């Protein structure tokens, strides 16, 4: 009995020792795992701190594009780029660092020529940049007649000719007419398959909107419906007005051809007259010059080919045809930029010159100094037909000249004769 109890006691002690050893082993493993986790977290924290320090260094470096806290909106970047491009054309000195924005490379470069004088009421560089930005923003599709299977370019000319007559009857300003013209072209550029019966409604609605924007006392809605002779009702004009405003996205303030012409003529007077720049917005040019150039523009604008040129290019080309001024100095455009439009406008300028100088008309209840701003029906569709026929003859003559140009024979390089067939030349120099 004693020996059995001794054996049981020994086994119990052995088991207790094994349990204690196993507990100690688990404790050591747990301690080592906890120390490893602490070390791992410590290493991760140090690595994250190093990354943050490097990112902070990169973001604070000059010329970096990785600073997310300094990301600007698209409109802010465009305005900033326009100011930077128009401010100066000088490059930074070699050896000095310069800050660059990556998105600036995808913004159209603004022309460096800025013809505006120093103004005491605004920054001329900022004003010129906004003008150029508007000239790019309010663009028309020169091929928008492909969207409308029921319309023809001749219908557009008839519509504009009729709008000119309406403007003259109600003594509307030229700016009102050219605003309506811009609304019609941009509206047709985004629509599809406008019926020809609806084209007069589109033109009437555009003139109705432009008159409310530009005129102090615009004609009433009933008067616009009356001039259509029953073709358009008042409700149809109001419904079309909502559709047009929505289609144009309420972008109703373009810099029209008339506005560019006023600026160019004012700039052309700076070289010949001492004009106070504080009164730069007051016209100082002769009214007869303005009427003479607008006569050409009124004729050119009837042709659908005018859609391929911007408003600033059209106005500058008309000035170059009608007035003896330094076009590059007055407009900021180079001859290379104006040459395609000048050549296209050649036939229209010839027809305008044959028709004679336009006279300045007077209107009741219109001041004499404002008479040149009233839109008149100075050109007609017959003049347009004559100019287009002359333009076709110019194009045919240019094609014939290219076809009858001398043909240059193909060049075949001469093959030198073999050494056995070369003539024997004496190596002795004969001196007489």
């Amino acid at each position: 009995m004693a020996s059995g109890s001794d054996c049981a006691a020994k086994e119990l002690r052995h088991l207790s020792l094994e349990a204690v050893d196993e507990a100690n082993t688990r404790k050591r493993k747990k301690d080592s795992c906890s120390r490893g986790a602490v070390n791992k977290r410590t290493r991760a924290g140090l690595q994250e701190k190093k990354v943050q320090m490097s990112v902070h260094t990169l973001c604070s470096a000059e010329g970096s594009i990785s600073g997310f806290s300094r990301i600007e909106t698209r409109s802010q970047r465009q305005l900033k780029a326009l100011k930077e491009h128009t401010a100066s054309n000088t490059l930074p000195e070699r050896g000095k660092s310069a800050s660059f924005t990556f998105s600036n490379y995808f913004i159209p470069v603004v022309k460096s020529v800025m013809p505006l004088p120093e103004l005491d009421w605004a920054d001329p560089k900022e004003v010129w940049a906004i003008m150029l930005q508007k000239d790019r923003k309010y663009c028309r599709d020169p091929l928008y007649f492909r969207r409308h299977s029921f319309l023809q370019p001749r219908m557009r000319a008839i519509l504009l000719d009729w709008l000119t007559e309406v403007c003259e009857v109600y003594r509307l300003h030229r700016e009102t007419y050219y605003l309506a013209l811009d609304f019609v072209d941009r509206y047709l550029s985004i629509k599809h398959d406008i019926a020809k019966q609806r084209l007069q409604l589109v033109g009437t609605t555009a003139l109705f909107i432009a008159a409310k924007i530009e005129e102090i006392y615009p004609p009433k809605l009933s008067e616009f419906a009356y001039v259509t002779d029953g073709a358009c009702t008042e409700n149809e004009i109001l419904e079309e007005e909502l559709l047009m405003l929505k289609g144009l996205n309420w972008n109703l303030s373009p810099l029209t051809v008339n506005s560019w012409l006023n600026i160019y003529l004012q700039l052309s007077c700076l070289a010949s007259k001492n004009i106070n720049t504080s009164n730069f917005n007051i016209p100082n040019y002769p009214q007869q010059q303005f009427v003479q150039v607008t006569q050409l523009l009124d004729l050119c604008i009837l042709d659908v080919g005018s859609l391929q040129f911007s408003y600033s290019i059209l106005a500058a080309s008309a000035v170059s045809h009608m007035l003896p001024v330094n076009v590059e100095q007055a407009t900021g455009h180079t001859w290379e930029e104006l040459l395609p439009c000048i050549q296209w406008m050649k036939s229209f300028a010839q027809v305008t010159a044959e028709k004679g100088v336009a006279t300045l008309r007077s209107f009741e209840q219109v001041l004499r100094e404002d008479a040149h701003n009233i839109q008149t029906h100075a050109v007609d569709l017959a003049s347009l037909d004559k100019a287009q026929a002359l333009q076709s003859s110019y194009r045919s003559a240019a094609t014939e000249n290219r076809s009858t140009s001398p043909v240059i024979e193909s060049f075949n390089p001469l093959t030198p004769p073999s050494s056995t067939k070369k003539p024997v030349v004496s190596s002795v120099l004969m001196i007489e």
Side-chain angles (χ1 to χ4, degrees), residues 2 6 21 36 60 82 96 142 155 175 198 241 244 254 261 299 308 314 322 351-352 362 400-401 409 417:
D6 293 339
D21 292 339
S60 60
L82 290 173
K96 293 185 179 181
M155 299 178 184
E175 186 67 18
R198 187 183 166 192
E241 180 187 15
M244 183 172 292
L261 179 59
L299 180 59
Q308 60 185 318
L314 286 171
M322 305 303 292
V351 172
T352 304
S362 59
E400 291 178 0
N401 291 336
E409 297 181 357

Side-chain angles (χ1 to χ4, degrees), residues 140-366:
R140 302 98 64 210
D141 184 10
L143 302 176
Y144 70 71
F145 279 99
R146 296 183 178 181
R147 301 170 176 262
H148 308 280
S149 55
F150 305 106
L151 301 182
Q152 298 294 332
R154 182 69 177 181
M155 299 178 184
R156 175 183 177 272
I158 296 174
L159 174 66
L160 297 181
D161 183 71
W162 176 76
L163 290 179
T164 307
E165 293 181 354
V166 175
C167 290
E168 184 177 10
V169 170
Y170 287 99
R171 296 190 295 274
L172 302 181
H173 288 79
R174 294 184 184 274
E175 186 67 18
T176 304
Y177 168 71
Y178 281 103
L179 276 177
L181 167 68
D182 178 80
F183 297 161
V184 169
D185 287 333
R186 286 196 290 127
Y187 185 68
L188 294 179
S189 297
I190 61 175
K191 291 297 181 178
H192 295 271
D193 291 331
I194 296 290
K196 62 181 181 181
Q197 295 82 5
R198 187 183 166 192
L199 186 60
Q200 187 177 11
L201 175 61
V202 172
T204 305
T205 306
L207 189 62
F208 175 60
I209 298 173
K212 292 195 293 183
I213 294 174
E214 186 65 24
E215 300 295 332
I216 299 177
Y217 301 104
K220 297 180 181 180
L221 176 61
S222 58
E223 294 177 298
F224 282 99
Y226 172 76
V227 296
T228 61
D229 196 16
C232 305
T233 63
E234 297 181 14
N235 291 332
E236 288 176 342
I237 295 176
L238 292 177
E239 292 175 359
E240 189 68 23
E241 180 187 15
L242 294 178
L243 295 175
M244 183 172 292
L245 293 175
K246 184 178 179 180
L248 298 179
N249 198 20
W250 292 87
N251 293 321
L252 307 176
S253 58
L255 206 61
T256 62
V257 180
N258 183 72
S259 301
W260 281 106
L261 179 59
N262 276 282
I263 296 171
Y264 291 158
L265 293 181
Q266 190 77 338
L267 289 172
S268 64
C269 295
L270 289 178
S272 57
K273 299 180 181 179
N274 187 13
I275 299 177
N276 188 4
T277 57
S278 61
N279 298 326
F280 184 76
N281 55 339
I282 301 177
N284 291 275
Y285 50 81
Q287 291 179 322
Q288 188 60 38
Q289 288 186 359
F290 183 83
V291 173
Q292 186 177 355
V293 181
T294 53
Q295 184 181 11
L296 173 59
L297 285 174
D298 289 345
L299 180 59
C300 293
I301 216 71
L302 296 178
D303 189 85
V304 71
S306 61
L307 297 174
Q308 60 185 318
F309 305 106
S310 64
Y311 291 144
S312 62
I313 294 292
L314 286 171
S317 302
V319 170
S320 67
H321 273 291
M322 305 303 292
L323 301 178
V325 298
N326 188 344
V327 180
E328 294 185 354
Q329 181 181 358
T331 65
H333 289 288
T334 61
W335 277 107
E336 288 77 11
E337 296 173 337
L338 298 177
L339 186 59
C341 187
I342 290 176
Q343 292 179 344
W344 172 82
M345 200 178 286
K346 180 180 177 181
S347 59
F348 299 93
Q350 184 174 345
V351 172
T352 304
E354 293 176 357
K355 193 172 183 179
V357 180
T359 58
L360 182 63
R361 297 182 56 183
S362 59
F363 299 90
E364 296 181 0
Q365 300 179 354
V366 176

Side-chain angles (χ1 to χ4, degrees), residues 424-430:
V424 179
V425 180
S426 175
S427 60
V428 180
L429 182 61
M430 303 298 295

